[in-house]
Amino acid sequence: MTDTLSALLSRDPDRMWRASWEVIGTRDIEMLETLRSALPDIRRATADIELGGMIRPNRDALAHALDKVQTYRTWRCWCDDYPRLLAYNPAREEERGHATILSRVDSGWPTTYECACTACGTQFSVEEGEHHALWWKWTPRASRSTR
Ligand SMILES: [Zn+2]
């Protein structure tokens, strides 16, 4: 059993929360398929746990993670998920090798980025904002690069 799966089944809110973010950030198909086959067990194990969360309910992260496990096969690319969540930090995505920061403009407010997905080349404008915590709004750029 993978660490992520055992964390999701652990009934330990802290481990479950960290595993949720691991799933949200991953492009590891092997991990996602393992979780996919265990999805009914995960749903059962997580249904009645109080996950808490100070700013955003931690259950939202879990729900997003499980939705990814269930639907990622239908995604065009991993970057389909960027506009759906305000939690993709461009610097972190670049560190993971998932996106490239083409430019960063922080003269004035808000800070904006131009980023490209390393898998499909789709470019995004990313607006950084702050409301209790930093967030990033990813918008695909209208002019698609030719592939
Ligand atoms: Zn992509």
Side-chain angles (χ1 to χ4, degrees), residues 70-110:
Q70 193 169 18
T71 65
Y72 84 93
R73 285 180 178 178
T74 68
W75 295 4
R76 186 192 53 87
C77 180
W78 299 111
C79 66
D80 281 13
D81 206 36
Y82 285 160
R84 297 187 197 126
L85 203 65
L86 293 172
Y88 285 109
N89 179 345
R92 181 83 176 87
E93 286 305 290
E94 186 168 67
E95 206 176 277
R96 284 170 169 151
H98 293 175
T100 308
I101 298 174
L102 306 172
S103 67
R104 179 179 194 275
V105 180
D106 55 8
S107 58
W109 177 263

mmCIF file of all heavy atoms in Angstrom, residues 70-110:
data_model
loop_
_atom_site.group_PDB
_atom_site.id
_atom_site.type_symbol
_atom_site.label_atom_id
_atom_site.label_comp_id
_atom_site.label_asym_id
_atom_site.label_seq_id
_atom_site.Cartn_x
_atom_site.Cartn_y
_atom_site.Cartn_z
ATOM 1 N N GLN A 70 -10.974 10.294 -9.404
ATOM 2 C CA GLN A 70 -12.093 9.718 -10.144
ATOM 3 C C GLN A 70 -12.115 10.170 -11.608
ATOM 4 O O GLN A 70 -12.464 9.393 -12.490
ATOM 5 C CB GLN A 70 -13.407 10.104 -9.460
ATOM 6 C CG GLN A 70 -14.584 9.308 -9.975
ATOM 7 C CD GLN A 70 -15.817 9.503 -9.113
ATOM 8 O OE1 GLN A 70 -15.920 10.455 -8.335
ATOM 9 N NE2 GLN A 70 -16.768 8.620 -9.253
ATOM 10 N N THR A 71 -11.754 11.429 -11.879
ATOM 11 C CA THR A 71 -12.004 11.974 -13.219
ATOM 12 C C THR A 71 -10.751 12.264 -14.044
ATOM 13 O O THR A 71 -10.875 12.621 -15.210
ATOM 14 C CB THR A 71 -12.792 13.301 -13.121
ATOM 15 O OG1 THR A 71 -11.978 14.281 -12.469
ATOM 16 C CG2 THR A 71 -14.099 13.129 -12.368
ATOM 17 N N TYR A 72 -9.554 12.106 -13.479
ATOM 18 C CA TYR A 72 -8.371 12.606 -14.196
ATOM 19 C C TYR A 72 -8.190 11.955 -15.565
ATOM 20 O O TYR A 72 -7.640 12.562 -16.479
ATOM 21 C CB TYR A 72 -7.120 12.437 -13.337
ATOM 22 C CG TYR A 72 -6.482 11.075 -13.427
ATOM 23 C CD1 TYR A 72 -5.455 10.825 -14.331
ATOM 24 C CD2 TYR A 72 -6.937 10.017 -12.640
ATOM 25 C CE1 TYR A 72 -4.890 9.568 -14.442
ATOM 26 C CE2 TYR A 72 -6.391 8.776 -12.749
ATOM 27 C CZ TYR A 72 -5.367 8.543 -13.649
ATOM 28 O OH TYR A 72 -4.820 7.293 -13.762
ATOM 29 N N ARG A 73 -8.694 10.726 -15.733
ATOM 30 C CA ARG A 73 -8.548 10.052 -17.034
ATOM 31 C C ARG A 73 -9.244 10.809 -18.162
ATOM 32 O O ARG A 73 -8.891 10.652 -19.321
ATOM 33 C CB ARG A 73 -9.164 8.655 -16.971
ATOM 34 C CG ARG A 73 -8.337 7.640 -16.223
ATOM 35 C CD ARG A 73 -9.072 6.322 -16.249
ATOM 36 N NE ARG A 73 -8.350 5.251 -15.600
ATOM 37 C CZ ARG A 73 -8.835 4.013 -15.478
ATOM 38 N NH1 ARG A 73 -10.035 3.733 -15.947
ATOM 39 N NH2 ARG A 73 -8.122 3.087 -14.880
ATOM 40 N N THR A 74 -10.252 11.598 -17.807
ATOM 41 C CA THR A 74 -10.998 12.334 -18.827
ATOM 42 C C THR A 74 -10.385 13.714 -19.092
ATOM 43 O O THR A 74 -10.853 14.426 -19.972
ATOM 44 C CB THR A 74 -12.466 12.544 -18.399
ATOM 45 O OG1 THR A 74 -12.493 13.448 -17.273
ATOM 46 C CG2 THR A 74 -13.120 11.241 -17.987
ATOM 47 N N TRP A 75 -9.368 14.071 -18.317
ATOM 48 C CA TRP A 75 -8.769 15.385 -18.505
ATOM 49 C C TRP A 75 -7.983 15.413 -19.806
ATOM 50 O O TRP A 75 -7.390 14.412 -20.213
ATOM 51 C CB TRP A 75 -7.826 15.737 -17.349
ATOM 52 C CG TRP A 75 -8.495 15.885 -16.017
ATOM 53 C CD1 TRP A 75 -9.820 15.666 -15.723
ATOM 54 C CD2 TRP A 75 -7.875 16.260 -14.780
ATOM 55 N NE1 TRP A 75 -10.034 15.892 -14.384
ATOM 56 C CE2 TRP A 75 -8.869 16.259 -13.793
ATOM 57 C CE3 TRP A 75 -6.564 16.594 -14.445
ATOM 58 C CZ2 TRP A 75 -8.591 16.589 -12.464
ATOM 59 C CZ3 TRP A 75 -6.283 16.922 -13.119
ATOM 60 C CH2 TRP A 75 -7.293 16.910 -12.142
ATOM 61 N N ARG A 76 -7.948 16.596 -20.441
ATOM 62 C CA ARG A 76 -7.136 16.772 -21.639
ATOM 63 C C ARG A 76 -5.660 16.749 -21.246
ATOM 64 O O ARG A 76 -4.818 16.172 -21.915
ATOM 65 C CB ARG A 76 -7.493 18.100 -22.307
ATOM 66 C CG ARG A 76 -6.830 18.380 -23.644
ATOM 67 C CD ARG A 76 -7.043 19.838 -24.042
ATOM 68 N NE ARG A 76 -6.602 20.727 -22.963
ATOM 69 C CZ ARG A 76 -5.361 21.164 -22.811
ATOM 70 N NH1 ARG A 76 -4.430 20.820 -23.660
ATOM 71 N NH2 ARG A 76 -5.046 21.962 -21.804
ATOM 72 N N CYS A 77 -5.373 17.422 -20.142
ATOM 73 C CA CYS A 77 -3.998 17.506 -19.643
ATOM 74 C C CYS A 77 -4.069 17.771 -18.142
ATOM 75 O O CYS A 77 -5.090 18.201 -17.620
ATOM 76 C CB CYS A 77 -3.242 18.627 -20.343
ATOM 77 S SG CYS A 77 -1.518 18.797 -19.782
ATOM 78 N N TRP A 78 -2.961 17.550 -17.442
ATOM 79 C CA TRP A 78 -2.910 17.824 -16.002
ATOM 80 C C TRP A 78 -3.280 19.266 -15.704
ATOM 81 O O TRP A 78 -3.858 19.573 -14.667
ATOM 82 C CB TRP A 78 -1.506 17.549 -15.454
ATOM 83 C CG TRP A 78 -1.068 16.136 -15.619
ATOM 84 C CD1 TRP A 78 -0.084 15.671 -16.448
ATOM 85 C CD2 TRP A 78 -1.602 14.983 -14.957
ATOM 86 N NE1 TRP A 78 0.022 14.315 -16.335
ATOM 87 C CE2 TRP A 78 -0.885 13.860 -15.428
ATOM 88 C CE3 TRP A 78 -2.616 14.802 -14.012
ATOM 89 C CZ2 TRP A 78 -1.153 12.566 -14.988
ATOM 90 C CZ3 TRP A 78 -2.877 13.514 -13.557
ATOM 91 C CH2 TRP A 78 -2.151 12.422 -14.045
ATOM 92 N N CYS A 79 -2.926 20.155 -16.638
ATOM 93 C CA CYS A 79 -3.138 21.576 -16.364
ATOM 94 C C CYS A 79 -4.618 21.962 -16.450
ATOM 95 O O CYS A 79 -4.978 23.087 -16.118
ATOM 96 C CB CYS A 79 -2.290 22.447 -17.282
ATOM 97 S SG CYS A 79 -2.720 22.357 -19.019
ATOM 98 N N ASP A 80 -5.483 21.034 -16.877
ATOM 99 C CA ASP A 80 -6.930 21.296 -16.816
ATOM 100 C C ASP A 80 -7.339 21.728 -15.409
ATOM 101 O O ASP A 80 -8.336 22.417 -15.229
ATOM 102 C CB ASP A 80 -7.734 20.026 -17.151
ATOM 103 C CG ASP A 80 -7.795 19.766 -18.645
ATOM 104 O OD1 ASP A 80 -7.028 20.401 -19.388
ATOM 105 O OD2 ASP A 80 -8.607 18.926 -19.054
ATOM 106 N N ASP A 81 -6.605 21.255 -14.424
ATOM 107 C CA ASP A 81 -6.996 21.500 -13.033
ATOM 108 C C ASP A 81 -6.583 22.883 -12.538
ATOM 109 O O ASP A 81 -7.140 23.363 -11.548
ATOM 110 C CB ASP A 81 -6.382 20.430 -12.126
ATOM 111 C CG ASP A 81 -7.194 20.217 -10.851
ATOM 112 O OD1 ASP A 81 -8.439 20.292 -10.922
ATOM 113 O OD2 ASP A 81 -6.594 19.979 -9.800
ATOM 114 N N TYR A 82 -5.630 23.525 -13.208
ATOM 115 C CA TYR A 82 -5.140 24.811 -12.706
ATOM 116 C C TYR A 82 -6.244 25.852 -12.494
ATOM 117 O O TYR A 82 -6.300 26.482 -11.439
ATOM 118 C CB TYR A 82 -4.056 25.384 -13.631
ATOM 119 C CG TYR A 82 -2.706 24.694 -13.527
ATOM 120 C CD1 TYR A 82 -1.777 24.815 -14.546
ATOM 121 C CD2 TYR A 82 -2.372 23.950 -12.412
ATOM 122 C CE1 TYR A 82 -0.527 24.194 -14.454
ATOM 123 C CE2 TYR A 82 -1.138 23.327 -12.322
ATOM 124 C CZ TYR A 82 -0.218 23.457 -13.339
ATOM 125 O OH TYR A 82 1.008 22.859 -13.249
ATOM 126 N N PRO A 83 -7.139 26.053 -13.475
ATOM 127 C CA PRO A 83 -8.164 27.097 -13.270
ATOM 128 C C PRO A 83 -9.203 26.733 -12.215
ATOM 129 O O PRO A 83 -9.975 27.579 -11.789
ATOM 130 C CB PRO A 83 -8.836 27.216 -14.658
ATOM 131 C CG PRO A 83 -7.885 26.577 -15.617
ATOM 132 C CD PRO A 83 -7.201 25.505 -14.833
ATOM 133 N N ARG A 84 -9.262 25.465 -11.801
ATOM 134 C CA ARG A 84 -10.310 25.018 -10.876
ATOM 135 C C ARG A 84 -9.971 25.247 -9.420
ATOM 136 O O ARG A 84 -10.803 25.064 -8.540
ATOM 137 C CB ARG A 84 -10.553 23.512 -11.052
ATOM 138 C CG ARG A 84 -11.061 23.126 -12.404
ATOM 139 C CD ARG A 84 -11.425 21.624 -12.391
ATOM 140 N NE ARG A 84 -11.532 21.106 -13.733
ATOM 141 C CZ ARG A 84 -10.866 20.044 -14.193
ATOM 142 N NH1 ARG A 84 -10.062 19.381 -13.399
ATOM 143 N NH2 ARG A 84 -11.012 19.655 -15.429
ATOM 144 N N LEU A 85 -8.711 25.571 -9.144
ATOM 145 C CA LEU A 85 -8.290 25.636 -7.753
ATOM 146 C C LEU A 85 -7.396 26.856 -7.580
ATOM 147 O O LEU A 85 -6.577 27.147 -8.434
ATOM 148 C CB LEU A 85 -7.509 24.353 -7.421
ATOM 149 C CG LEU A 85 -7.430 23.922 -5.974
ATOM 150 C CD1 LEU A 85 -8.805 23.554 -5.441
ATOM 151 C CD2 LEU A 85 -6.503 22.709 -5.853
ATOM 152 N N LEU A 86 -7.551 27.547 -6.480
ATOM 153 C CA LEU A 86 -6.755 28.762 -6.248
ATOM 154 C C LEU A 86 -5.466 28.448 -5.491
ATOM 155 O O LEU A 86 -4.856 29.324 -4.910
ATOM 156 C CB LEU A 86 -7.578 29.787 -5.468
ATOM 157 C CG LEU A 86 -8.788 30.376 -6.208
ATOM 158 C CD1 LEU A 86 -9.630 31.225 -5.259
ATOM 159 C CD2 LEU A 86 -8.357 31.190 -7.408
ATOM 160 N N ALA A 87 -5.070 27.199 -5.513
ATOM 161 C CA ALA A 87 -3.959 26.788 -4.656
ATOM 162 C C ALA A 87 -2.699 26.385 -5.413
ATOM 163 O O ALA A 87 -1.762 25.884 -4.807
ATOM 164 C CB ALA A 87 -4.402 25.632 -3.758
ATOM 165 N N TYR A 88 -2.675 26.570 -6.732
ATOM 166 C CA TYR A 88 -1.485 26.203 -7.484
ATOM 167 C C TYR A 88 -0.498 27.357 -7.532
ATOM 168 O O TYR A 88 -0.648 28.287 -8.310
ATOM 169 C CB TYR A 88 -1.858 25.756 -8.900
ATOM 170 C CG TYR A 88 -2.469 24.382 -8.964
ATOM 171 C CD1 TYR A 88 -3.818 24.217 -9.255
ATOM 172 C CD2 TYR A 88 -1.704 23.251 -8.720
ATOM 173 C CE1 TYR A 88 -4.390 22.951 -9.313
ATOM 174 C CE2 TYR A 88 -2.262 21.983 -8.768
ATOM 175 C CZ TYR A 88 -3.598 21.844 -9.075
ATOM 176 O OH TYR A 88 -4.152 20.587 -9.123
ATOM 177 N N ASN A 89 0.496 27.280 -6.668
ATOM 178 C CA ASN A 89 1.550 28.289 -6.603
ATOM 179 C C ASN A 89 2.498 28.098 -7.795
ATOM 180 O O ASN A 89 3.105 27.036 -7.930
ATOM 181 C CB ASN A 89 2.294 28.101 -5.278
ATOM 182 C CG ASN A 89 3.438 29.075 -5.110
ATOM 183 O OD1 ASN A 89 3.883 29.717 -6.066
ATOM 184 N ND2 ASN A 89 3.922 29.173 -3.891
ATOM 185 N N PRO A 90 2.629 29.098 -8.682
ATOM 186 C CA PRO A 90 3.483 28.945 -9.866
ATOM 187 C C PRO A 90 4.907 28.504 -9.519
ATOM 188 O O PRO A 90 5.478 27.659 -10.204
ATOM 189 C CB PRO A 90 3.475 30.345 -10.486
ATOM 190 C CG PRO A 90 2.204 30.952 -10.045
ATOM 191 C CD PRO A 90 1.960 30.412 -8.662
ATOM 192 N N ALA A 91 5.469 29.076 -8.456
ATOM 193 C CA ALA A 91 6.838 28.719 -8.071
ATOM 194 C C ALA A 91 6.924 27.239 -7.695
ATOM 195 O O ALA A 91 7.868 26.536 -8.054
ATOM 196 C CB ALA A 91 7.306 29.595 -6.911
ATOM 197 N N ARG A 92 5.904 26.769 -6.979
ATOM 198 C CA ARG A 92 5.865 25.367 -6.565
ATOM 199 C C ARG A 92 5.687 24.458 -7.785
ATOM 200 O O ARG A 92 6.302 23.404 -7.882
ATOM 201 C CB ARG A 92 4.707 25.180 -5.582
ATOM 202 C CG ARG A 92 4.539 23.792 -5.026
ATOM 203 C CD ARG A 92 5.451 23.542 -3.838
ATOM 204 N NE ARG A 92 5.200 22.230 -3.253
ATOM 205 C CZ ARG A 92 5.800 21.115 -3.677
ATOM 206 N NH1 ARG A 92 6.656 21.152 -4.666
ATOM 207 N NH2 ARG A 92 5.545 19.957 -3.095
ATOM 208 N N GLU A 93 4.843 24.886 -8.723
ATOM 209 C CA GLU A 93 4.624 24.081 -9.922
ATOM 210 C C GLU A 93 5.889 24.010 -10.775
ATOM 211 O O GLU A 93 6.168 22.986 -11.386
ATOM 212 C CB GLU A 93 3.446 24.653 -10.741
ATOM 213 C CG GLU A 93 2.085 24.373 -10.130
ATOM 214 C CD GLU A 93 1.856 22.888 -9.878
ATOM 215 O OE1 GLU A 93 1.698 22.136 -10.863
ATOM 216 O OE2 GLU A 93 1.863 22.469 -8.700
ATOM 217 N N GLU A 94 6.645 25.114 -10.790
ATOM 218 C CA GLU A 94 7.898 25.098 -11.537
ATOM 219 C C GLU A 94 8.894 24.162 -10.861
ATOM 220 O O GLU A 94 9.597 23.394 -11.505
ATOM 221 C CB GLU A 94 8.474 26.515 -11.648
ATOM 222 C CG GLU A 94 9.706 26.576 -12.534
ATOM 223 C CD GLU A 94 10.110 27.995 -12.887
ATOM 224 O OE1 GLU A 94 10.520 28.741 -11.978
ATOM 225 O OE2 GLU A 94 9.997 28.362 -14.063
ATOM 226 N N GLU A 95 8.927 24.220 -9.534
ATOM 227 C CA GLU A 95 9.809 23.350 -8.752
ATOM 228 C C GLU A 95 9.509 21.877 -9.022
ATOM 229 O O GLU A 95 10.405 21.041 -9.101
ATOM 230 C CB GLU A 95 9.539 23.666 -7.280
ATOM 231 C CG GLU A 95 10.635 23.417 -6.301
ATOM 232 C CD GLU A 95 10.163 23.888 -4.923
ATOM 233 O OE1 GLU A 95 10.267 25.097 -4.661
ATOM 234 O OE2 GLU A 95 9.645 23.065 -4.139
ATOM 235 N N ARG A 96 8.226 21.571 -9.165
ATOM 236 C CA ARG A 96 7.818 20.190 -9.436
ATOM 237 C C ARG A 96 8.097 19.789 -10.881
ATOM 238 O O ARG A 96 7.915 18.633 -11.247
ATOM 239 C CB ARG A 96 6.305 20.033 -9.212
ATOM 240 C CG ARG A 96 5.853 19.981 -7.774
ATOM 241 C CD ARG A 96 4.327 20.064 -7.729
ATOM 242 N NE ARG A 96 3.793 19.776 -6.408
ATOM 243 C CZ ARG A 96 2.662 20.294 -5.945
ATOM 244 N NH1 ARG A 96 1.955 21.118 -6.704
ATOM 245 N NH2 ARG A 96 2.215 19.998 -4.750
ATOM 246 N N GLY A 97 8.433 20.776 -11.728
ATOM 247 C CA GLY A 97 8.648 20.482 -13.142
ATOM 248 C C GLY A 97 7.353 20.420 -13.933
ATOM 249 O O GLY A 97 7.320 19.927 -15.051
ATOM 250 N N HIS A 98 6.273 20.937 -13.362
ATOM 251 C CA HIS A 98 4.965 20.857 -14.012
ATOM 252 C C HIS A 98 4.655 22.073 -14.874
ATOM 253 O O HIS A 98 3.838 22.010 -15.782
ATOM 254 C CB HIS A 98 3.847 20.705 -12.967
ATOM 255 C CG HIS A 98 3.902 19.408 -12.238
ATOM 256 N ND1 HIS A 98 3.069 19.092 -11.189
ATOM 257 C CD2 HIS A 98 4.711 18.318 -12.410
ATOM 258 C CE1 HIS A 98 3.353 17.875 -10.743
ATOM 259 N NE2 HIS A 98 4.339 17.392 -11.458
ATOM 260 N N ALA A 99 5.258 23.190 -14.546
ATOM 261 C CA ALA A 99 4.994 24.428 -15.284
ATOM 262 C C ALA A 99 6.276 25.243 -15.342
ATOM 263 O O ALA A 99 7.186 25.051 -14.533
ATOM 264 C CB ALA A 99 3.880 25.237 -14.612
ATOM 265 N N THR A 100 6.333 26.114 -16.312
ATOM 266 C CA THR A 100 7.463 27.030 -16.433
ATOM 267 C C THR A 100 6.948 28.447 -16.257
ATOM 268 O O THR A 100 5.913 28.801 -16.833
ATOM 269 C CB THR A 100 8.098 26.913 -17.838
ATOM 270 O OG1 THR A 100 8.373 25.544 -18.093
ATOM 271 C CG2 THR A 100 9.376 27.713 -17.917
ATOM 272 N N ILE A 101 7.623 29.229 -15.446
ATOM 273 C CA ILE A 101 7.254 30.638 -15.311
ATOM 274 C C ILE A 101 7.952 31.405 -16.423
ATOM 275 O O ILE A 101 9.179 31.469 -16.461
ATOM 276 C CB ILE A 101 7.647 31.184 -13.924
ATOM 277 C CG1 ILE A 101 6.887 30.423 -12.827
ATOM 278 C CG2 ILE A 101 7.340 32.680 -13.839
ATOM 279 C CD1 ILE A 101 7.319 30.782 -11.408
ATOM 280 N N LEU A 102 7.165 31.938 -17.347
ATOM 281 C CA LEU A 102 7.735 32.663 -18.488
ATOM 282 C C LEU A 102 8.077 34.087 -18.090
ATOM 283 O O LEU A 102 9.066 34.645 -18.548
ATOM 284 C CB LEU A 102 6.746 32.656 -19.655
ATOM 285 C CG LEU A 102 6.243 31.275 -20.105
ATOM 286 C CD1 LEU A 102 5.139 31.419 -21.132
ATOM 287 C CD2 LEU A 102 7.386 30.443 -20.662
ATOM 288 N N SER A 103 7.230 34.665 -17.257
ATOM 289 C CA SER A 103 7.511 36.012 -16.775
ATOM 290 C C SER A 103 6.751 36.255 -15.484
ATOM 291 O O SER A 103 5.753 35.591 -15.192
ATOM 292 C CB SER A 103 7.114 37.059 -17.818
ATOM 293 O OG SER A 103 5.713 37.068 -17.979
ATOM 294 N N ARG A 104 7.249 37.210 -14.718
ATOM 295 C CA ARG A 104 6.633 37.544 -13.442
ATOM 296 C C ARG A 104 6.648 39.059 -13.353
ATOM 297 O O ARG A 104 7.700 39.682 -13.499
ATOM 298 C CB ARG A 104 7.445 36.931 -12.309
ATOM 299 C CG ARG A 104 6.927 37.228 -10.919
ATOM 300 C CD ARG A 104 7.827 36.541 -9.877
ATOM 301 N NE ARG A 104 7.211 36.509 -8.571
ATOM 302 C CZ ARG A 104 7.267 37.498 -7.687
ATOM 303 N NH1 ARG A 104 7.929 38.599 -7.971
ATOM 304 N NH2 ARG A 104 6.663 37.383 -6.519
ATOM 305 N N VAL A 105 5.489 39.647 -13.170
ATOM 306 C CA VAL A 105 5.398 41.100 -13.068
ATOM 307 C C VAL A 105 4.908 41.449 -11.676
ATOM 308 O O VAL A 105 3.770 41.135 -11.313
ATOM 309 C CB VAL A 105 4.409 41.678 -14.116
ATOM 310 C CG1 VAL A 105 4.335 43.194 -13.987
ATOM 311 C CG2 VAL A 105 4.820 41.279 -15.513
ATOM 312 N N ASP A 106 5.772 42.067 -10.871
ATOM 313 C CA ASP A 106 5.302 42.447 -9.539
ATOM 314 C C ASP A 106 5.417 43.947 -9.289
ATOM 315 O O ASP A 106 5.483 44.389 -8.157
ATOM 316 C CB ASP A 106 5.970 41.621 -8.435
ATOM 317 C CG ASP A 106 7.480 41.686 -8.508
ATOM 318 O OD1 ASP A 106 7.997 42.480 -9.302
ATOM 319 O OD2 ASP A 106 8.130 40.928 -7.769
ATOM 320 N N SER A 107 5.445 44.694 -10.382
ATOM 321 C CA SER A 107 5.352 46.145 -10.223
ATOM 322 C C SER A 107 3.881 46.485 -10.095
ATOM 323 O O SER A 107 3.120 46.367 -11.047
ATOM 324 C CB SER A 107 5.954 46.849 -11.432
ATOM 325 O OG SER A 107 5.295 46.444 -12.611
ATOM 326 N N GLY A 108 3.490 46.868 -8.905
ATOM 327 C CA GLY A 108 2.082 47.168 -8.693
ATOM 328 C C GLY A 108 1.327 45.949 -8.194
ATOM 329 O O GLY A 108 1.910 44.945 -7.820
ATOM 330 N N TRP A 109 0.029 46.055 -8.198
ATOM 331 C CA TRP A 109 -0.829 45.031 -7.610
ATOM 332 C C TRP A 109 -1.882 44.641 -8.602
ATOM 333 O O TRP A 109 -2.429 45.505 -9.274
ATOM 334 C CB TRP A 109 -1.464 45.595 -6.341
ATOM 335 C CG TRP A 109 -2.419 44.675 -5.698
ATOM 336 C CD1 TRP A 109 -3.785 44.654 -5.821
ATOM 337 C CD2 TRP A 109 -2.102 43.593 -4.829
ATOM 338 N NE1 TRP A 109 -4.310 43.641 -5.090
ATOM 339 C CE2 TRP A 109 -3.315 42.970 -4.480
ATOM 340 C CE3 TRP A 109 -0.884 43.086 -4.341
ATOM 341 C CZ2 TRP A 109 -3.358 41.858 -3.642
ATOM 342 C CZ3 TRP A 109 -0.947 41.986 -3.511
ATOM 343 C CH2 TRP A 109 -2.164 41.393 -3.158
ATOM 344 N N PRO A 110 -2.264 43.430 -8.795
ATOM 345 C CA PRO A 110 -1.629 42.281 -8.139
ATOM 346 C C PRO A 110 -0.413 41.806 -8.925
ATOM 347 O O PRO A 110 -0.217 42.191 -10.057
ATOM 348 C CB PRO A 110 -2.734 41.227 -8.216
ATOM 349 C CG PRO A 110 -3.462 41.537 -9.485
ATOM 350 C CD PRO A 110 -3.387 43.029 -9.645
#
